[in-house]
Amino acid sequence: MMKLQRILERIAHGIEIVAGLIMGLVTVLVVASALGRYLFAYPLPDAFDMSRLLLGAAIMWGFASVGYRGSHIKVDLLAEQLPKTPRRWIDAFAWMVLLIFTLLLAWKMFGRVSSAAASNESTMDLRLRAWPMMGLIWMGVAVSIPAILARLILIVSGRGTLDHYESLDVKDEL
């Protein structure tokens, strides 16, 4: 099981790298467009459309990382007062709800990507097709599903952490 956790940690790290690269691209795009607009009176065409789609992709890829690591804001007033076994079942229930939500989100987003591809939806200025960027957003949600499922399995099997805080001990074994 430890080998599986190491593999999952590497996958989660890879997902975080993708999210970070996309976020870096959004930053470069927004800065370049702002500089073009204010220094040369010529903003980058489609910078707004591309930056909003890329920001959505960065958020969804970040959601995939959160799906595995569980490093999100939590309020466990009831669960922290309980013994370990009931707390584990409450955590498992919460992760199950998250998994169901993510499955439904992936399904609806896939429908949106399909709709954009079928209707030839495009950006305003350059008429770039929108569905590839929407597909990148959908891929972030799709990657979340196995990440959340892996964390759910770790919690149910007793291998997942029930700590009420996130560990600051980060090991870079890659």
Side-chain angles (χ1 to χ4, degrees), residues 17 37 55-56 89 100 106-107 123 152 155 164 169:
I17 288 173
R37 180 175 42 248
L55 185 60
W89 286 109
I100 291 168
W107 170 54
T123 61
L152 180 61
I155 288 171
H164 63 281
D169 184 25

Side-chain angles (χ1 to χ4, degrees), residues 35-146:
L35 287 175
R37 180 175 42 248
Y38 292 116
L39 294 180
F40 307 112
Y42 186 77
L44 292 178
D46 278 337
F48 175 74
D49 285 335
M50 297 304 288
S51 64
R52 72 183 175 89
L53 290 169
L54 285 170
L55 185 60
I59 290 169
M60 287 298 110
W61 281 84
F63 180 68
S65 173
V66 167
Y68 172 69
R69 296 197 190 281
S71 55
H72 56 284
I73 298 171
K74 303 177 233 182
V75 180
D76 292 333
L77 296 175
L78 173 67
E80 286 187 27
Q81 305 305 319
L82 296 174
K84 195 171 188 174
T85 302
R87 190 168 39 147
R88 183 170 306 287
W89 286 109
I90 288 174
D91 278 358
F93 175 74
W95 284 97
M96 181 61 76
V97 170
L98 180 62
L99 179 63
I100 291 168
F101 167 79
T102 307
L103 286 166
L104 292 172
L105 182 63
W107 170 54
K108 293 304 285 182
M109 286 192 72
F110 185 76
R112 179 67 180 100
V113 172
S114 300
S115 170
S119 67
N120 290 324
E121 188 175 329
S122 60
T123 61
M124 187 66 78
D125 297 331
L126 298 177
R127 294 295 189 209
L128 300 172
R129 296 185 65 132
W131 72 264
M133 288 297 186
M134 290 180 180
L136 186 62
I137 295 169
W138 174 78
M139 283 175 47
V141 176
V143 169
S144 299
I145 294 168

Side-chain angles (χ1 to χ4, degrees), residues 24-43:
L25 186 59
V26 169
T27 303
V28 168
L29 186 61
V30 169
V31 168
S33 182
L35 287 175
R37 180 175 42 248
Y38 292 116
L39 294 180
F40 307 112
Y42 186 77

